[in-house]
C-alpha cells in the first residue's frame, strides 16, 4: 500500500468523514490518491480559511475529526487563524499540508511558497497544534501517525501531518489504531474521592458545563451525574446548547447559560453565590467568566478540563474527563443526593414577532427564529461572531456551533457549509455584514456541492461590536453592500427585508424552498443592537469602570 492510501485509511479509522481541500503542486500527488481512492469524500472550497472553519464545524457536528488538505506555505499558512480557533475551542482537526521532498528541500534554492526557512511551516504550526509529524520515513511513519492521530482525539485539538511530495507513492504499512493512552486509575479514584467529599460538604454547589463534555461524547453520562447529584446546572457562553439534544437533559436542573452581569440575575447568582462550582470541561476564558461582577475565585472550584483536574491548589495531571465522570458516577448515590433544586426559571427566549410594517430591529432576529423553532422544531444553527451570536444566545434550545471563545470573524458561512456536509441537514447561518464580507462568498460553492443553507445577514452597515465598545470609532462604518443582490449571481436566492412583515415572509419562503441557498438580508439601522449585546457591553463597561476605580 502507498503512504497516501495508508494515510487516508488511517484518517478514516480515526473518525474522519470527509476532507476539505484546496490543492497546490506540493500536495497534488496526495489529491490524486484522495480522488482515485474515494476513501474519503473531497470537498473543495474557495479560500483556505473557509476550509478550516468548514472542517471545524464538521467535526463538531459529527463528533469525528475534521480534515483539511492544503499545499505547502501559501495554502497551509492561510489556514492558521482557523486552526488556531480550533486549538482554542478544543476541536479535533487534522491539517494535511504538502511540503518539499528530500532532494528539493536541500537543493540550495529558495523554494516557491517558502518563508524564512524550509521548515517555517512546521515551526509555525507547532504553536497551534497539540502534535505533528512529517511523513519523511515510511518505516517510522505508521507509528508516528498512530501517535499523532491519537493525540488529536485525546486532546481534541488540531495536529499537523506534513506529506513530502516525493513520499506519497512510497510503500508504507497500515497505520494501527493505538489503545487509549494509559493513565492512573488510582489517581482518578483519589481525585473522585476528594471531589465527592467536597460536593457532599458544600452548601450551594453548582455544576458548570462546557464544550469538552461534547467533544469527548459524554453529555449523557454528565446528565446522569447531574441527576444523581441533583445539582443545578449551568452552561458557559461557549457551552450553550449542551444537554439539549433530545432526551439528554431529562430530569436535569438546567438553569441556562452563565452570562454574568448580562444574564438572568437568578442564573448568575447560582455561580456567583456558589461555595463550590463543579466545572466539567470548562475553558476558563473571559467570554465564559469575564463578565462576572464577583471576582470568581477558581481556587474554591473543582475544575476538570484538558486532561487534568484541580481541587483548590491540588492538581491531578493526566486525568481524562470521561474517566473522572465515570468514577464520580460510581461514587454518586443511586438515588438523588439532594432534594430537587428550585425549578429552573425558564430563561428568556423572546417569541411572538408581530409581522407588521414596523421597521426591523436587531432584537427581532431571535424573536422570529424562536417562533420558527417553536413550530418546526430545532434546527442546526451556525453563528459567526458579532451581534448575531448574541441573538443566538436567546434562541430556544437548538444545536448551536459558534467560535464563542476564540471569537474569530469569518466562521459562520463556511462552518455552515461544513455542518450541512457533515449532517446532510440544512442549517441556519447567522452572520453580520462585516463577517460576511470576509468569507460569505463561499456560498458560491453551494450549487456545485448541492447545499442549501439559510443565511441570515444582520446588516447594520457597521462593525457594531466595535462601535458598541468604542462608540466614537468612525472606522466601524461599512456602508451598505446590498448583499441580497449578490445571492442570485452566486446561485442562491436573495431577500432584502426592512420590516417585520417582510422578514416573516422571507423566512417562510426560504424555509419552503429547497435546493438553493437562501440569503435573507436584515436591514437594521446603524447603531442598533440586540438587548443581549447591549447588556453585555454595558456590563463590560461597568466592570472596567469599577476596575479602574
Ligand atoms: C478575523 C477577525 N477580525 C477582527 C475581529 C474583531 C471584531 C470582533 S466583532 C467585529 C465586528 C463584526 O462586524 P459584523 O458586521 O460582522 O457584526 P456586528 O458586530 O454584529 O455588526 C470585529 C471587527 C475578529 N473578532 N475577528
Amino acid at each position: 500500500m502507498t503512504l497516501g492510501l495508508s494515510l487516508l485509511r488511517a484518517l478514516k479509522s480515526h473518525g474522519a468523514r470527509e476532507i476539505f481541500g484546496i490543492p497546490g503542486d506540493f500536495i497534488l500527488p496526495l489529491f490524486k490518491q484522495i480522488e482515485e481512492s474515494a476513501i474519503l469524500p473531497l470537498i473543495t472550497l474557495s479560500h483556505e480559511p473557509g476550509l478550516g472553519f468548514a472542517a471545524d464545524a464538521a467535526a463538531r457536528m459529527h463528533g469525528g475529526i475534521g480534515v483539511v488538505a492544503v499545499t505547502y506555505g501559501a495554502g497551509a499558512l492561510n489556514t492558521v487563524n482557523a486552526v488556531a480557533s480550533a486549538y482554542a475551542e478544543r476541536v479535533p482537526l487534522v491539517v494535511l499540508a504538502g511540503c518539499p521532498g528530500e532532494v528539493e528541500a536541500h537543493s540550495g534554492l529558495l523554494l516557491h511558497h517558502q518563508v524564512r526557512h524550509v521548515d517555517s511551516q512546521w515551526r509555525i504550526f507547532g504553536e497551534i497544534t497539540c502534535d505533528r509529524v512529517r511523513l519523511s520515513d515510511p518505516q517510522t511513519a505508521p507509528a508516528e501517525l498512530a501517535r499523532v492521530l491519537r493525540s488529536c482525539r485525546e486532546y481534541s485539538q488540531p495536529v499537523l501531518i506534513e506529506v513530502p511530495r516525493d513520499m506519497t507513492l512510497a510503500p508504507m504499512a497500515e497505520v494501527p489504531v493505538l489503545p487509549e493512552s494509559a493513565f492512573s486509575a488510582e489517581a482518578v479514584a483519589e481525585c473522585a474521592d476528594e471531589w465527592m467529599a467536597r460536593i457532599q460538604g458544600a452548601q450551594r454547589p453548582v455544576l458548570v458545563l462546557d464544550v469538552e463534555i461534547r467533544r469527548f461524547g459524554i453529555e449523557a453520562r454528565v446528565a446522569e451525574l447531574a441527576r444523581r447529584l441533583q445539582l443545578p446546572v449551568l452552561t458557559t457562553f461557549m457551552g450553550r446548547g449542551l444537554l439539549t439534544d433530545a432526551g439528554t437533559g431529562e430530569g436535569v436542573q438546567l438553569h441556562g447559560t452563565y452570562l454574568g452581569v448580562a444574564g438572568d440575575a437568578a442564573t448568575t447568582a447560582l455561580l456567583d453565590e456558589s461555595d463550590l462550582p463543579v466545572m466539567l470541561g470548562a475553558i476558563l476564558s473571559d467570554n465564559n467568566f469575564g463578565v462576572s461582577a464577583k471576582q470568581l475565585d477558581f481556587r474554591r472550584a473543582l475544575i476538570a478540563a484538558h486532561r487534568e483536574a484541580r481541587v483548590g491548589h491540588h492538581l491531578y495531571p493526566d486525568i481524562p474527563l470521561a474517566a473522572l465522570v465515570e468514577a464520580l458516577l460510581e461514587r454518586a448515590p443511586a438515588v438523588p443526593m439532594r432534594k430537587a433544586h428550585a425549578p429552573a426559571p425558564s430563561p428568556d427566549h423572546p417569541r411572538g414577532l408581530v409581522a407588521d410594517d414596523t421597521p426591523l430591529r436587531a432584537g427581532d432576529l431571535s424573536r422570529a427564529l424562536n417562533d420558527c423553532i417553536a413550530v418546526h422544531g430545532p434546527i442546526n444553527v451556525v453563528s459567526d461572531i458579532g451581534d448575531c451570536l448574541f441573538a443566538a444566545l436567546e434562541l430556544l434550545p437548538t444545536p448551536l456551533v459558534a467560535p464563542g471563545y476564540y471569537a474569530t470573524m469569518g466562521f459562520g458561512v463556511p462552518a455552515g457549509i461544513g455542518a450541512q456536509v457533515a449532517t446532510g441537514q440544512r442549517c441556519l447561518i447567522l452572520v453580520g455584514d462585516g463577517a460576511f464580507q470576509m468569507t460569505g462568498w463561499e456560498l458560491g460553492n453551494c450549487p456545485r456541492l448541492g447545499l442549501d443553507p439559510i443565511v441570515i445577514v444582520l446588516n447594520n452597515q457597521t462593525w457594531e461590536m466595535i462601535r458598541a465598545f468604542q462608540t466614537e470609532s468612525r472606522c466601524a462604518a461599512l456602508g451598505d453592500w446590498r448583499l441580497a443582490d449578490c445571492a442570485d449571481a452566486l446561485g442562491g436566492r436573495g431577500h432584502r427585508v426592512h420590516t417585520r412583515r417582510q422578514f416573516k415572509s422571507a423566512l417562510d419562503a426560504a424555509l419552503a424552498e429547497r435546493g438553493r441557498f437562501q440569503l435573507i438580508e436584515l436591514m437594521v439601522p446603524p447603531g442598533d443592537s440586540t438587548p443581549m449585546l447591549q447588556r453585555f457591553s454595558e456590563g463590560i463597561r461597568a466592570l472596567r469602570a469599577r476596575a479602574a476605580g
Side-chain angles (χ1 to χ4, degrees):
M1 185 169 17
T2 66
L3 179 144
L5 291 179
S6 181
L7 167 60
L8 294 171
R9 288 162 65 98
L11 288 168
K12 187 165 187 175
S13 62
H14 284 79
R17 307 274 183 82
E18 66 286 302
I19 296 175
F20 294 90
I22 295 176
D25 62 331
F26 284 99
I27 198 165
L28 264 182
L30 183 61
F31 268 71
K32 186 167 187 296
Q33 298 223 321
I34 293 170
E35 291 188 273
E36 286 175 355
S37 70
I39 292 171
L40 290 167
L42 172 64
I43 297 98
T44 56
L45 294 179
S46 306
H47 193 203
E48 286 89 354
L51 298 177
F53 295 136
D56 172 322
R60 293 188 204 210
M61 295 307 271
H62 57 49
I65 59 177
V67 183
V68 299
V70 285
T71 195
Y72 172 66
L77 300 188
N78 240 354
T79 70
V80 166
N81 183 49
V83 175
S85 177
Y87 185 93
E89 308 239 344
R90 306 285 200 273
V91 178
L93 189 63
V94 173
V95 179
L96 298 177
C99 70
E102 186 62 23
V103 172
E104 59 190 330
H106 298 95
S107 64
L109 295 173
L110 288 174
L111 301 176
H112 64 287
H113 296 338
Q114 181 180 332
V115 197
R116 171 183 291 184
H117 187 277
V118 73
D119 285 342
S120 292
Q121 169 178 284
W122 172 267
R123 295 174 186 178
I124 289 165
F125 275 81
E127 195 56 23
I128 53 175
T129 58
C130 67
D131 204 343
R132 50 189 169 157
V133 61
R134 179 177 300 162
L135 304 180
S136 45
D137 178 354
Q139 299 311 312
T140 59
E144 291 173 312
L145 258 178
R147 183 205 78 232
V148 166
L149 291 172
R150 180 173 68 178
S151 299
C152 183
R153 295 292 317 197
E154 289 189 347
Y155 285 92
S156 191
Q157 286 184 307
V159 295
L160 171 70
I161 299 174
E162 283 195 337
V163 185
R165 69 171 148 187
D166 62 352
M167 296 306 295
T168 310
L169 298 176
M172 186 174 99
E174 188 94 22
V175 177
V177 177
L178 298 177
E180 186 184 3
S181 297
F183 62 86
S184 164
E186 200 178 303
V188 171
E190 186 180 316
C191 178
D193 287 340
E194 195 170 1
W195 273 43
M196 283 307 289
R198 294 275 187 118
I199 292 169
Q200 282 154 353
Q203 299 303 310
R204 298 176 308 285
V206 62
L207 198 51
V208 181
L209 306 181
D210 202 345
V211 289
E212 281 195 5
I213 72 163
R214 173 160 293 169
R215 303 285 190 269
F216 294 115
I218 55 173
E219 281 182 79
R221 299 301 285 162
V222 169
E224 175 60 16
L225 182 65
R227 278 189 289 272
R228 302 258 290 278
L229 296 177
Q230 279 293 298
L231 298 185
V233 177
L234 295 175
T235 68
T236 62
F237 183 95
M238 276 185 68
R240 169 97 186 163
L242 287 173
L243 304 193
T244 58
D245 289 352
T248 306
E250 210 62 50
V252 173
Q253 298 287 328
L254 197 50
H255 284 256
T257 300
Y258 178 79
L259 294 171
V261 294
D264 167 79
T267 302
T268 298
L270 279 172
L271 177 55
D272 286 2
E273 310 303 330
S274 168
D275 61 342
L276 190 73
V278 182
M279 308 173 89
L280 293 178
I283 296 177
L284 302 186
S285 69
D286 55 356
N287 288 6
N288 276 346
F289 303 104
V291 284
S292 169
K294 311 245 316 185
Q295 195 58 35
L296 291 172
D297 177 2
F298 292 115
R299 285 170 304 175
R300 61 178 168 75
L302 305 179
I303 304 171
H306 213 35
R307 267 184 98 84
E308 62 182 31
R310 295 171 185 277
V311 187
H313 293 285
H314 302 176
L315 174 64
Y316 290 84
D318 204 24
I319 301 286
L321 186 58
L324 177 60
V325 168
E326 289 308 316
L328 291 170
L329 279 167
E330 286 165 15
R331 289 157 176 78
V335 292
M337 181 169 83
R338 298 168 182 271
K339 67 179 177 48
H341 196 273
S346 60
D348 178 29
H349 300 300
R351 289 173 58 178
L353 181 77
V354 178
D356 57 18
D357 293 328
T358 307
L360 275 171
R361 302 297 297 270
D364 295 328
L365 175 54
S366 59
R367 196 176 293 278
L369 294 184
N370 281 333
D371 291 346
C372 222
I373 293 169
V375 171
H376 301 285
I379 180 171
N380 294 336
V381 176
V382 177
S383 181
D384 213 301
I385 279 307
D387 199 13
C388 58
L389 180 55
F390 289 91
L393 290 176
E394 294 181 328
L395 295 183
L396 285 165
T398 195
L400 171 64
V401 169
Y405 160 41
Y406 183 71
T408 178
M409 289 163 72
F411 180 87
V413 167
I417 288 173
Q420 186 167 3
V421 166
T423 63
Q425 296 164 2
R426 189 181 216 184
C427 72
L428 183 68
I429 299 170
L430 307 181
V431 60
D433 52 319
F436 188 94
Q437 291 173 14
M438 291 185 175
T439 58
W441 314 108
E442 294 287 359
L443 286 174
N445 293 292
C446 287
R448 170 173 61 85
L449 298 172
L451 304 174
D452 59 352
I454 296 175
V455 184
I456 297 182
V457 181
L458 192 54
N459 189 348
N460 49 31
Q461 305 103 64
T462 52
W463 288 322
E464 183 51 31
M465 284 273 290
I466 297 302
R467 206 202 55 75
F469 289 103
Q470 189 163 291
T471 50
E472 65 276 21
S473 275
R474 292 187 309 283
C475 69
L478 298 179
D480 180 1
W481 280 37
R482 303 190 63 84
L483 296 168
D485 294 351
C486 308
D488 301 90
L490 293 172
R493 181 179 175 196
H495 315 255
R496 182 174 166 96
V497 296
H498 294 267
T499 69
R500 292 171 175 173
R501 185 193 313 279
Q502 290 171 353
F503 181 22
K504 173 84 171 58
S505 157
L507 198 48
D508 291 344
L511 286 163
E513 182 183 1
R514 292 302 307 261
R516 60 177 173 165
F517 74 82
Q518 306 284 321
L519 192 155
I520 302 175
E521 188 178 19
L522 257 60
M523 302 309 296
V524 296
D528 179 44
S529 60
T530 58
M532 178 68 78
L533 175 56
Q534 288 164 25
R535 288 198 299 270
F536 215 80
S537 49
E538 284 155 16
I540 295 268
R541 272 199 292 269
L543 292 176
R544 283 178 182 162
R546 193 182 307 170

